[in-house]
Amino acid sequence: MTWDDLDAHLDRVPGTVSAYVGRLDAPPTWTRHPDATHYAASTMKVAVLAALHRAAEAGTLDLDAPVPVVNDFDSAQPGAPRFACAQPYDNDDAVWDRLGGTASLRWLADRMIVRSSNLATNLVLGHVGLPAVAEVWALAGARNSITGRGIEDFAAREAGITNTVTAADLAALLGALATGSTTPGHLASPAACTTMLDVLLAQEHRDDLAAGLPKRTRIALKNGWVHGVRHSVGVVLPDDAPPYLIAVCTTTDLANGDQVDDDACLLIAHISAQVWAARHQL
């Protein structure tokens, strides 16, 4: 396979397929529409995770202090009614089981990533705030990604407030966590970055990028999906080659919104497998 061959294959896919592949702290080896914007789905949860750990390092939040588990949130649209999540659209009953009780922000952040819980995301986001998430994107060097609202904030969505990402920006964010990079800004301490990577390594939804890798290959990963959208970004840690970044964003009819048995999952897994085969030449 050559990168031109992969591009030719993706040219036949309906919709938009964006990608970024490269080593850490190095120019990309291959990109495809890296700055095209896509609806973020759950990939924005990585920026929320980073904002939480930045707040903990600043001393403004305690990761282990219990917080109320509620399902009632302020809309990002001024004057709009408060909103709630719907449990059937979530991926983690464990968070809902604590509704009316308490949980630590650390535990909620873990569930936000490893199970992609929407309720946990909105709870964490309510404590860190949207400006802190915007600062994370800026410090990571992202140019086009925006986290404008929480999950299922339909009033904000109808007002045009949304969440967007690009393949290049997702790679920049994961790269900053993987290297503890302080360029162009200080995202988090090396210890906090390691903690966040450990959470991403524990990802339980492994139907796309991870599915294209040999079993037991380590990948710090976050994905996201809704009808018409499937994205995945990760840092792959081979035993026989240097680590590399891979981000694939798809806005396509192949994405039916299912966690599995989704042609967009198969497409991302195919791209991941092709990149893995070229890992020594990246």
Side-chain angles (χ1 to χ4, degrees):
M1 179 216 74
T2 68
W3 302 116
D4 288 342
D5 293 335
L6 189 51
D7 268 317
H9 173 73
L10 296 176
D11 285 342
R12 298 190 290 272
V13 174
T16 302
V17 180
S18 302
Y20 180 108
V21 171
R23 299 275 186 227
L24 302 177
D25 279 342
T29 301
W30 172 66
T31 63
R32 175 185 175 85
H33 310 312
D35 297 317
T37 56
H38 300 257
Y39 174 64
S42 291
T43 57
M44 49 76 77
K45 295 172 182 176
V46 181
V48 178
L49 178 70
L52 175 64
H53 279 269
R54 283 175 54 78
E57 288 200 308
T60 57
L61 287 175
D62 181 350
L63 293 180
D64 297 308
V67 299
V69 178
V70 299
N71 187 19
D72 181 51
F73 306 103
D74 288 324
S75 173
Q77 171 63 12
R82 293 172 68 83
F83 72 97
C85 292
Q87 187 170 2
Y89 294 102
D90 210 328
N91 299 289
D92 189 10
D93 288 339
V95 180
W96 291 84
D97 288 344
R98 298 201 183 191
L99 199 61
T102 63
S104 71
L105 287 170
R106 187 188 303 276
W107 184 83
L108 290 168
D110 286 354
R111 307 309 293 182
M112 172 179 72
I113 298 298
V114 303
R115 293 300 306 165
S116 206
S117 169
N118 293 337
L119 180 58
T121 301
N122 285 345
L123 288 164
V124 175
L125 186 57
H127 285 273
V128 301
L130 289 166
V133 181
E135 186 176 13
V136 164
W137 284 119
L139 290 172
R143 295 180 294 176
N144 300 293
S145 296
I146 297 170
T147 302
R149 60 173 174 82
I151 308 293
E152 298 180 64
D153 184 352
F154 298 127
R157 184 184 69 181
E158 290 169 6
I161 302 170
T162 191
N163 301 324
T164 59
V165 293
T166 71
D169 289 349
L170 287 171
L173 179 55
L174 265 287
L177 295 182
T179 62
S181 175
T182 57
T183 304
H186 178 64
L187 185 58
S189 71
C193 288
T194 297
T195 297
M196 288 185 271
L197 281 178
D198 286 343
V199 175
L200 293 162
L201 283 163
Q203 176 61 249
E204 296 179 12
H205 295 294
R206 305 179 67 82
D207 309 301
D208 39 55
L209 283 181
L213 302 173
K215 288 184 179 179
R216 293 182 293 279
T217 301
R218 294 196 305 149
I219 176 172
L221 160 70
K222 185 69 192 82
N223 39 26
W225 60 92
V226 295
H227 186 79
V229 164
R230 183 85 194 197
H231 313 321
S232 197
V233 56
V235 180
V236 182
L237 302 164
D239 290 334
D240 61 349
Y244 63 87
L245 291 162
I246 177 169
V248 182
C249 298
T250 72
T251 299
T252 170
D253 290 340
L254 298 179
N256 62 23
D258 289 341
Q259 178 186 333
V260 294
D261 294 330
D262 183 327
D263 286 339
C265 279
L266 298 177
L267 176 66
I268 295 175
H270 172 75
I271 295 170
S272 182
Q274 298 303 308
V275 175
W276 172 264
R279 66 192 181 281
H280 298 293
Q281 288 77 47
L282 295 180

